[in-house]
Amino acid sequence: MADTTRARKIADRIKVVVAETLDRRIKDPRLGFVTVTEVRVTGDLQHASVFYTVLGEDADLSETQVALDSAKGVLRREVGKALNIRLTPTLEFIADSVPAAAAEIEALLKEAAARDAQVRAAAEGAQPAGDQDPYRRPGEDEGEDEGEDEGEGEPEAEPR
């Protein structure tokens, strides 16, 4: 089991090597504008998951997945040369879902801002439904004594 620092360094190096190889060496027309976002390596350094994004639509994403799967051998060979370790990790390419999630969150934030603007516009000329200050405060009771209910009627005569 390798330490996490070494695994992180190897993952960073794999990320750079895969990105450079895709840019310079792989000339597949199905390959879209690919960005390698992250690489995760298992603890035994046997397997690497390469996360990527593609600029474009879903059709571009599926074509790029096919192109990356067909270029997996070349990419693994380049990673093996660059890493210079005993075992070259296998590569698995996974489309990164972060951009889609970020776009969804952005749309929700815009919707929330529009609703806030509607509420602000509705509240601009609004008047309160009741008194300005509807809360009772101690000592401000108008004409009410707290002890009136107990002492009503005639006072009781004292026993003789």
Side-chain angles (χ1 to χ4, degrees):
M1 186 97 179
D3 65 358
T4 56
T5 306
R6 182 168 185 235
R8 192 174 337 113
K9 286 180 183 179
I10 288 176
D12 289 342
R13 184 69 183 137
I14 290 173
K15 179 179 174 181
V16 170
V17 169
V18 168
E20 287 177 353
T21 304
L22 287 172
D23 186 38
R24 296 183 182 151
R25 187 129 188 257
I26 307 297
K27 303 296 180 195
D28 194 335
R30 298 172 294 184
L31 198 62
F33 186 71
V34 179
T35 302
V36 178
T37 56
E38 184 180 0
V39 175
R40 293 182 188 157
V41 180
T42 58
D44 59 357
L45 307 177
Q46 296 277 329
H47 183 75
S49 298
V50 180
F51 293 89
Y52 67 94
T53 59
V54 179
L55 185 64
E57 299 177 7
D58 291 337
D60 297 331
L61 184 66
S62 62
E63 289 178 9
T64 300
Q65 179 69 44
V66 171
L68 287 172
D69 287 340
S70 68
K72 196 179 286 189
V74 174
L75 293 168
R76 186 170 183 221
R77 184 177 343 114
E78 292 298 319
V79 166
K81 287 179 187 177
L83 290 180
N84 201 16
I85 57 177
R86 186 170 63 91
L87 296 172
T88 302
T90 59
L91 301 177
E92 176 187 16
F93 292 97
I94 303 170
D96 201 351
S97 62
V98 170
E104 183 180 347
I105 290 172
E106 188 68 30
L108 290 172
L109 287 173
K110 284 182 182 178
E111 181 182 340
R115 287 184 181 177
D116 285 347
Q118 288 175 346
V119 169
R120 217 175 295 115
E124 195 169 296
Q127 295 292 326
D131 295 336
Q132 287 288 13
D133 189 13
Y135 300 104
R136 291 185 181 175
R137 302 206 187 320
E140 292 182 7
D141 293 337
E142 298 174 8
E144 294 182 20
D145 287 334
E146 292 179 14
E148 282 185 11
D149 293 339
E150 295 175 12
E152 286 187 22
E154 297 199 17
E156 291 183 27
E158 288 185 28
R160 293 185 199 181

